[in-house]
Amino acid sequence: MSKFYVTTPIYYVNDRPHIGHAYTTVLADVLARSHRSLSDATFFLTGTDEHGQKVQQAAEKRGVAPLAHCDETVVRFQELWNRLGITNDYFIRTTQENHKKIVAKIMQDLYDRDEIYKADYTGWYCVGCERFFTEKDLVDGKCPDCGRDVNAITESNYFFRMSKYQDWLIEYIQTHPDFILPAFRANETLGFLKKPLGDLCISRPKSRLSWGIELPFDPDYVCYVWFDALINYISGVGYGSDDEKFNAWWPASCHLIGKDILTTHSVYWPTMLKAIGLPMPQTIFAHGWWLTGNSKMSKSLGNVVNPMDMIDRAGVDAFRYFLLAEMSPGNDANFSEDSFISRYNSDLANDLGNLLSRVSKLTIRATGGEIPAPNELNEDDAELANAVNNAISSMECCLNSYKLDQGIDAAMNAVRAGNRYLEKCAPWTLAKNGDPARLHTVLHNAAEALCKVAVLLAPVMPEKMAELLNVLGAGQANINGIADLKNLKSVAGFVMKEASPLFPRIIVEEDAAAKAAPAPKAEKKAKAEKSAPAEAETPVNVVVTIDEFFKTQLKTAKVLSAEKVEGADKLLKLSIEVGSEIRQLVAGVAQFYSPEQITGKTIVIVANLKPAKIRGIESQGMLLAAKDGNNLKLVTIDGDMPSGISIG
């Protein structure tokens, strides 16, 4: 059996958890859930870093003991992880006695082997980062990491002989391409190692800082907080206390970290492990930052996103989905409320929610809810099956490369393929025309695709996917993970239930305001038809630059189906295919094209137009047409071209 041991950084107990903390922990949780889903033995460690000067100062300011302060503040992380559905196997606190004993034991061993020595030191100290810097490290006389003021300090301290391992570490990184990921982070570490590596100060005198683990060989000093904190990765799985447990899990499969603590994990930690005599973790994966605009989120800028606010707005699973789908691990990602709502409405409410609603209603109407067995298969069936099988293989591949956003995208492509499949096969028409054999095949295949996608996305959205599987009647089918999909022969016989909206659409404030104050009927009709995309006109004397022009994304789109909008003479509601995506579009072309005439055409749309509500129907784009008096013609493509192709 394969094993997977994943860790998050231990979070500084003085911090309030924000979207950055939530992202790392949810990412670790999804990895852990996914590996359990693959039947891998899995261990997931997270926790809090509770020593250091900032904790001592905060406790003194409150007039409480440092440990009492930690006991109160650690709850913020524990409560949020519980709310987010985090399934860590152990939550470590560096104030725990077993951890403190292991740190002391390691320090004594290194001291006895002359890996630690005492010397005088003069340097610049940053209280915020709790690190010493040399004069050349400073940026404009301030801390190079956080930009705060630094203090000149001269004192005697204990040092770990980190410099002796510089050449070994360079060679190890160069010969182990998976050790630091993404690869450009390994290059950053190698760039750092081009300069002579100094020894690491691993103590603080009690006269300046008393809140820490006492050095076993000198009671006048405590351990440097980073040296203490990094050891949690081995003390948390039994190093020095439970050899059987430790040997079962170490080395770690993946240390997940933010890019701001790359040096401590890719330089300090490997050299410490080498000196201790332990093997290296398989991978140190450094992800990017969440930004607002071009700025990193920080308390000082007042732009920190509180996870609780987003959870209250859209639910835990939607928040987890957004974090994993929006950020490509290793790169930075921008957060905005608009991007959250757009992805939620598009991916979850429209694509996934719509597919479940259609399949459940059609199946209940056709068979009373029992998913029928399939009959003879055709190319459309094979196309859907290929999309689902590709999603399964892609998810497994992306798990191993930590590209979860790509695995999620493959799963959502299978969802969109399911919606396209229903549009092409039109089970509502099959039911009307009395073709039960083909109808049963379509309903079975769509339900099976949904079932498999739900299992793939269960690590990301555990509660909602359990709800989806329950609607499909798969709750008792012993489908516990990705490994079980390979043995799933058919969903025939599962009994479906009525599906309530899985992800109710988020209505933006302008839509809500419009609903609260509806226009009079005649005026409403006029406004709706006037705002229809085909009726829009652009003044001919407006001059734009080429850069301005290319901000508009023109793409080919295939019209899958069309129907008239009730009560609007000029409007058609179209279902269109744009590459792998299914969209809804409202167009003022009903006086010129019947639904039958426009269905099947390959048209040109403005793909990046902000969605608008027309007659209460969301329109996701605008088609292009030319109009001359009472004559209107769609802009179409000369010859066969696939949908989703860029024009320009």
Side-chain angles (χ1 to χ4, degrees):
M1 180 185 288
S2 298
K3 68 99 174 172
F4 183 74
Y5 170 32
V6 63
T7 71
T8 71
I10 50 174
Y11 304 111
Y12 205 60
V13 76
N14 266 18
D15 287 341
R16 286 190 175 275
H18 55 68
I19 194 173
H21 301 115
Y23 172 75
T24 313
T25 313
V26 169
L27 176 57
D29 184 67
V30 172
L31 288 169
R33 286 176 181 266
S34 297
H35 279 276
R36 294 185 195 116
S37 179
L38 288 164
S39 299
D40 295 336
T42 302
F43 196 90
F44 170 17
L45 178 70
T46 189
T48 44
D49 178 7
E50 302 186 5
H51 290 124
Q53 193 163 350
K54 287 186 287 186
V55 172
Q56 179 176 299
Q57 290 174 345
E60 289 171 350
K61 187 175 181 180
R62 295 181 59 219
V64 299
L67 182 57
H69 173 75
C70 294
D71 288 342
E72 292 177 27
T73 52
V74 70
V75 174
R76 295 186 296 217
F77 288 92
Q78 293 171 330
E79 287 180 343
L80 179 58
W81 294 170
N82 184 59
R83 182 84 186 275
L84 284 171
I86 304 303
T87 58
N88 53 290
D89 295 280
Y90 190 52
F91 187 99
I92 190 167
R93 299 176 58 185
T94 56
T95 50
Q96 292 171 189
E97 287 302 317
N98 65 317
H99 172 76
K100 289 158 64 177
K101 286 178 182 177
I102 299 306
V103 172
K105 182 178 179 179
I106 288 172
M107 288 192 295
Q108 184 66 59
D109 175 61
L110 294 178
Y111 181 76
D112 292 343
R113 293 190 284 115
D114 197 35
E115 295 283 355
I116 292 175
Y117 65 93
K118 190 175 185 181
D120 290 336
Y121 180 78
T122 299
W124 296 93
Y125 185 71
C126 173
V127 174
C129 296
E130 302 199 18
R131 285 182 61 187
F132 279 106
F133 296 96
T134 63
E135 183 80 35
K136 65 182 180 182
D137 291 329
L138 303 182
V139 176
D140 298 327
K142 297 182 183 295
C143 172
D145 288 350
C146 69
R148 295 183 180 94
D149 291 331
V150 291
N151 303 315
I153 294 179
T154 300
E155 62 187 19
S156 291
N157 264 310
Y158 287 88
F159 294 81
F160 164 55
R161 296 186 189 277
M162 187 166 66
S163 59
K164 69 184 278 189
Y165 298 105
Q166 181 168 8
D167 291 341
W168 163 82
L169 181 57
I170 291 171
E171 182 182 5
Y172 190 87
I173 294 171
Q174 290 174 337
T175 55
H176 293 77
D178 292 334
F179 181 51
I180 303 172
L181 294 176
F184 63 87
R185 298 294 179 203
N187 292 333
E188 287 180 20
T189 300
L190 290 171
F192 177 84
L193 291 170
K194 286 181 179 178
K195 297 182 292 184
L197 186 63
D199 289 338
L200 179 65
C201 179
I202 58 97
S203 69
R204 299 292 184 263
K206 282 186 177 177
S207 58
R208 181 161 63 84
L209 171 64
S210 61
W211 182 237
I213 300 173
E214 185 179 284
L215 300 192
F217 44 81
D218 193 333
D220 292 331
Y221 290 83
V222 296
C223 181
Y224 169 45
V225 68
W226 265 112
F227 194 89
D228 157 18
L230 289 164
I231 290 171
N232 96 90
Y233 298 134
I234 54 176
S235 70
V237 285
Y239 177 75
S241 61
D242 187 337
D243 290 344
E244 183 179 354
K245 180 179 180 180
F246 180 70
N247 292 331
W249 295 114
W250 192 262
S253 307
C254 180
H255 288 322
L256 281 177
I257 62 169
K259 65 180 182 179
D260 50 328
I261 51 175
L262 177 65
T263 300
T264 53
H265 282 78
S266 64
V267 178
Y268 295 8
W269 183 225
T271 56
M272 288 167 61
L273 287 169
K274 181 68 174 174
I276 295 168
L278 291 175
M280 299 299 112
Q282 181 178 327
T283 297
I284 298 165
F285 193 100
H287 65 72
W289 287 336
W290 281 94
L291 309 175
T292 51
N294 294 316
S295 302
K296 180 192 176 187
M297 290 186 186
S298 72
K299 288 184 289 186
S300 59
L301 292 175
N303 63 351
V304 173
V305 174
N306 183 348
M308 293 294 193
D309 294 340
M310 302 312 300
I311 293 169
D312 291 341
R313 179 90 187 260
V316 170
D317 280 9
F319 178 67
R320 287 170 60 105
Y321 178 84
F322 175 80
L323 292 182
L324 272 294
E326 192 73 10
M327 178 181 275
S328 177
N331 300 320
D332 294 339
N334 268 284
F335 176 86
S336 72
E337 190 171 358
D338 285 347
S339 63
F340 180 89
I341 293 173
S342 175
R343 184 175 283 277
Y344 174 96
N345 282 342
S346 174
D347 291 8
L348 302 181
N350 287 2
D351 293 338
L352 185 55
N354 183 47
L355 181 59
L356 176 62
S357 176
R358 280 172 149 183
V359 173
S360 65
K361 287 178 181 176
L362 288 165
T363 305
I364 290 169
R365 191 179 303 154
T367 68
E370 183 174 338
I371 299 175
N375 295 290
E376 185 177 349
L377 303 178
N378 63 21
E379 289 183 2
D380 291 333
D381 306 321
E383 184 180 342
L384 176 60
N386 287 338
V388 174
N389 291 334
N390 177 65
I392 295 171
S393 59
S394 294
M395 185 64 82
E396 290 194 51
C397 179
C398 292
L399 279 173
N400 294 327
S401 59
Y402 302 101
K403 297 176 181 177
L404 279 180
D405 61 314
Q406 295 182 18
I408 291 169
D409 190 51
M412 292 309 299
N413 280 339
V415 170
R416 296 177 191 112
N419 280 310
R420 285 199 306 275
Y421 176 74
L422 292 184
E423 294 289 347
K424 287 181 182 178
C425 299
W428 43 87
T429 303
L430 296 172
K432 188 185 297 183
N433 294 343
D435 189 352
R438 182 61 189 154
L439 173 63
H440 288 177
T441 300
V442 171
L443 294 177
H444 172 275
N445 293 343
E448 185 172 272
L450 259 176
C451 179
K452 291 181 176 180
V453 167
V455 173
L456 290 181
L457 293 177
V460 182
M461 299 182 287
E463 291 183 8
K464 287 294 185 180
M465 293 305 98
E467 186 179 330
L468 193 159
L469 287 168
N470 186 51
V471 170
L472 290 173
Q476 306 300 318
N478 202 28
I479 307 171
N480 298 314
I482 298 171
D484 296 324
L485 290 182
K486 295 165 186 175
N487 301 318
L488 179 66
K489 302 300 182 185
S490 172
V491 296
F494 293 2
V495 179
M496 297 196 71
K497 301 173 182 155
E498 288 277 359
S500 57
L502 197 62
F503 295 98
R505 284 186 61 79
I506 296 176
I507 305 298
V508 295
E509 289 183 8
E510 60 212 52
D511 292 339
K515 279 188 173 182
K521 262 192 173 180
E523 180 186 344
K524 190 175 178 183
K525 178 178 178 180
K527 283 184 177 179
E529 296 184 355
K530 186 176 179 182
S531 63
E535 299 294 322
E537 295 184 1
T538 302
V540 295
N541 59 341
V542 173
V543 177
V544 297
T545 66
I546 190 69
D547 290 336
E548 289 171 331
F549 171 76
F550 278 113
K551 288 180 181 178
T552 301
Q553 294 177 8
L554 301 180
K555 291 188 176 182
T556 58
K558 185 175 181 180
V559 181
L560 301 176
S561 65
E563 61 183 80
K564 287 190 174 183
V565 174
E566 186 178 350
D569 297 336
K570 296 183 179 180
L571 302 181
L572 287 183
K573 182 174 74 171
L574 312 180
S575 175
I576 60 173
E577 174 191 272
V578 188
S580 62
E581 183 182 3
I582 302 295
R583 293 193 184 187
Q584 181 174 272
L585 188 149
V586 179
V589 296
Q591 292 177 309
F592 307 96
Y593 292 88
S594 68
E596 294 74 23
Q597 287 174 323
I598 198 170
T599 298
K601 288 187 178 295
T602 298
I603 59 175
V604 177
I605 67 164
V606 180
N608 61 336
L609 190 68
K610 183 178 179 180
K613 285 246 179 161
I614 301 173
R615 277 297 181 109
I617 303 169
E618 184 173 63
S619 182
Q620 301 166 317
M622 180 176 74
L623 61 74
L624 299 188
K627 187 179 181 185
D628 180 19
N630 293 323
N631 185 28
L632 180 143
K633 294 294 182 184
L634 297 173
V635 175
T636 57
I637 299 299
D638 181 19
D640 292 330
M641 287 288 284
S643 68
I645 301 299
S646 294
I647 295 172

